[in-house]
Amino acid sequence: MNSLPRIRLEKRLDTPRWLGVATPVFSVLAALLVIAVIFGLLGVNPLVAYARIFTGAFGSLYGLSETVTKAIPLMLAGAGLAVAFRARVYNIGAEGQLLIGAVCATGVALFVPGVPDGLRLPAMFVAGALGGALWAMVPAVLKARLRIDEVLTSLMTVYIASELVNYLVYGPWKGLYESGFPYSDKFPPAAQIPRIGITRIHYPTLILALLAAVLAYFLVRRTRWGFEIRVTGENPEAARYAGMNYLRTAMLVMALSGALAGIAGVGEVAGIHYRLRYPQGISPGYGFTAIIVAWLARLNPLGVILTALLIGGLLVGGDAIQLAMGLPSATVYLFNGMILLFVLGGDLFTRYQIRIELPGRAVATPVRLEREEVG
Amino acid sequence: MPDMSVPAVEMRGIVKRFPGVLANDHVDLTVRAGEIHALLGENGAGKTTLMNILYGIYHPDEGEIFVKGQRAHIRSPRDAIRLGIGMVHQQFRLVPSHTVAENVVLGLPGNFFFPERAARERLQEFARRYGLHVDPDARIWQLSAGEQQRVEIIKALYRGADILILDEPTSMLTPREIEELMATVRRMADDGQTVIFITHKLDEVFAVSDRVTVLRQGKVVATLETARTDKRELARLMVGRDVLFRLEKRPVAIGPTVLEVQNLHVRSDRGLPAVRGVSFSLAAGEILGIAGVAGNGQRELAEALAGLRPVEKGRVLLNGEDVTNRPPRALVRRGVCYVPGERLVGTVPNLSVAENLILKTYDQAPVCRGIFLDSRAIASHADALIEQYAVATPSRETPLKLLSGGNIQRAILARETSGAPGLLIAAHPTSGLDVGATEYIRQVLLSQREKGTAVLLVSEDLEEILQLSDRVAVMYNGEIMGILPADRADLETIGMMMAGIHRTEPEVA
């Protein structure tokens, strides 16, 4: 007879609502626990490090404002990706769509004459959204016409977009007044998004981001397109059976997530830098980090508002400890990677429940989960 | 030989709760050594749950289990296997790209090298003793469902099982394979093996079992000697009331022609000709039954008519309008409804009952206004259909996957027939359903006929075809062998046509 307790997984019939919230929270905590061990191995006291991260991100007005600033692109791209992933269309190329949005905004800011000042910024946002959407159409059309997997192609379009930005800032768009830096010229004031006070929060983009998350939520829950997205994601065969047009749905969510990522790109160049710069100077991987933001929100666009702020805070706090504690710059990527790993892994608990069996007892003890589901 | 005086299995007072469901309610079950014990009940009666408990997949909330007279704590399938219990699930658990021999040995302890000789010898022995013939070198994906099932049985025997649980073993098999399985089960019992046979089909109880235990709503209703009972009694015990084996089919005035199919050619998934020159017509208020062994082009025919599969050649006329190769949406709008043979095709298991009920009308009023879905209209639509079609569900917000097979089929039928369809295509509408649900579904089809719907019924169940149809068409090898009026269709003639032997001139429709 085996005398050790056994741990078993049993498939859940139903996922209670609270678990949908508890799982990401515990996933993040678990990721932080593992990172704490790594900090320990690096000779850094993890408690001190976490305290630093927290105060760095949320402990001062400056930190808070930076957190919000970084949450803006994450929220925009994340809301779009949450919708696309719902339809099981895996757009991994938000980073590229963001860069193309930045390019389009720059084009309108610097090279389109005759736009009235009041319309300059709206035109830039529209151009950025269109550019991002069109860029996302590349993998979408390849998928629709040739059945090429969108994961690979959307990822590859990131590198093309990145090289395009490089070409522009080293080549034709290289600024006359930037003394050799790979920057475009500075945007005229009418092409600069206003900020709140001395912070870098370009609030019109923030409003757009909040609006995007709310609208995306209503799109998914309350419209017939959202119904098509959900059915397509859950059971593509049933979608076909119901007469839904899979390719149209796939194109729609690709275009939507591309447009929102493009708007994020507009915000970065017109709200932060006031110029097109080399790709890493525009976005430290917001488009990729937005994937984590979307999953952490369990693909709920409203949840993206929270998770974007959380991950934004992590980026700011990560920067703070790099400087203060002499940690390598890869630290932030470590956070991102660990959190994504644990969030995806944590999904297991929404589909299974754990039972621990003590030796010598015939009846197993369910771990407090079952009773609460009844009713 | 086992000791026949001690029961092979004794389960006492087994209770198993699932969220919102009492799956097993103080179940007592005694299975004698060396007998074939049928476990009979409707879908959702708790048969599979009970056997999953015996096999260690689930754990009872209460109750105790004795195997061969010993109190047993079965905490995993491994414990069950150690006690000599084997289980063949409805869905096979084999590695498709591996050979039969590899699958049989897979996961056994103590084999670092592949035990080639030993495996072969024992496979031969099982073939000789029980008729479990299967090529040890064949790869699983090359095998038919019946052969794969044999591999599963061999796997259990190889691990020393002398108590074998078969969970609805005939659901995937052809009639011939069913006969072979029954013979194998008999030979195993004669050899001293104990077999527990889960089923909801009355015929199978009488074909194979020594005793039968009937479960209803998680409780044992009776345990009987099979020889001392009859179909009617078992059906009543199983359903809890008398079952109509004869449905009343009222005469209906045949209306105008709804569907006309002319020289239709359709290809299968693999690109081979599956429907080859099929022509027929179907009128309002008429049920045309398409009989035939599965795989003779029925699925492709139904899918082509529903717009889900391209028509290669030929024409489909709906109320006189050419709708050949129109998309599914266009056909839905014209009143074509389709109950697909596989329930998964027609449902989204993770969405709620209410959402599944609007799967085809989600973009039409009153459910949809502009681009917005009206949640109140969705709710009242769901409540009305749930009541009208007596779908047993805790609520309209319950995910569809939590419903039993019969209730899922009720929901599909509710969705497809509530909007007064002009043409209803029903493929295997009662396959896998229990007696009660089957009876209900057939009544719905008949009432549709009375309402003037043209019904195309594709079924492998000849009894069903004969009971419901006004005319019977038999498909063989992609062609219609003949169309007979129901009163001239008898089992023998149809059987011959299904085998491709007999052919009548298609009547003028």
Side-chain angles (χ1 to χ4, degrees), chain B residues 216-234:
Chain B
R216 186 171 78 228
Q217 290 172 0
K219 292 193 187 106
V220 171
V221 192
T223 298
L224 303 162
E225 304 273 337
T226 310
R228 290 200 198 141
T229 180
D230 58 40
K231 223 172 145 176
R232 185 158 290 273
E233 183 186 15
L234 285 186

Side-chain angles (χ1 to χ4, degrees), chain A residues 94 97-102 105 124-125 128-129 131-133 257-267:
Chain A
Q97 292 138 22
L98 182 150
L99 290 174
I100 294 299
M124 286 162 66
F125 275 116
S257 54
L260 291 180
I263 291 175
V266 179

Side-chain angles (χ1 to χ4, degrees), chain B residues 8-70:
Chain B
V9 172
E10 212 181 337
M11 301 178 86
R12 287 187 199 155
I14 301 291
V15 175
K16 177 70 187 175
R17 288 180 202 91
F18 288 121
V21 193
L22 191 53
N24 286 150
D25 184 3
H26 297 90
V27 169
D28 297 315
L29 174 73
T30 305
V31 180
R32 293 177 191 153
E35 76 169 341
I36 303 173
H37 196 108
L39 205 54
L40 179 72
E42 297 198 283
N43 291 319
K47 310 175 297 260
T48 301
T49 303
L50 187 67
M51 287 301 110
N52 278 340
I53 288 171
L54 181 58
Y55 193 56
I57 294 174
Y58 291 143
H59 299 257
D61 296 327
E62 288 172 38
E64 40 191 30
I65 302 172
F66 296 83
V67 177
K68 294 159 196 162
Q70 299 286 313

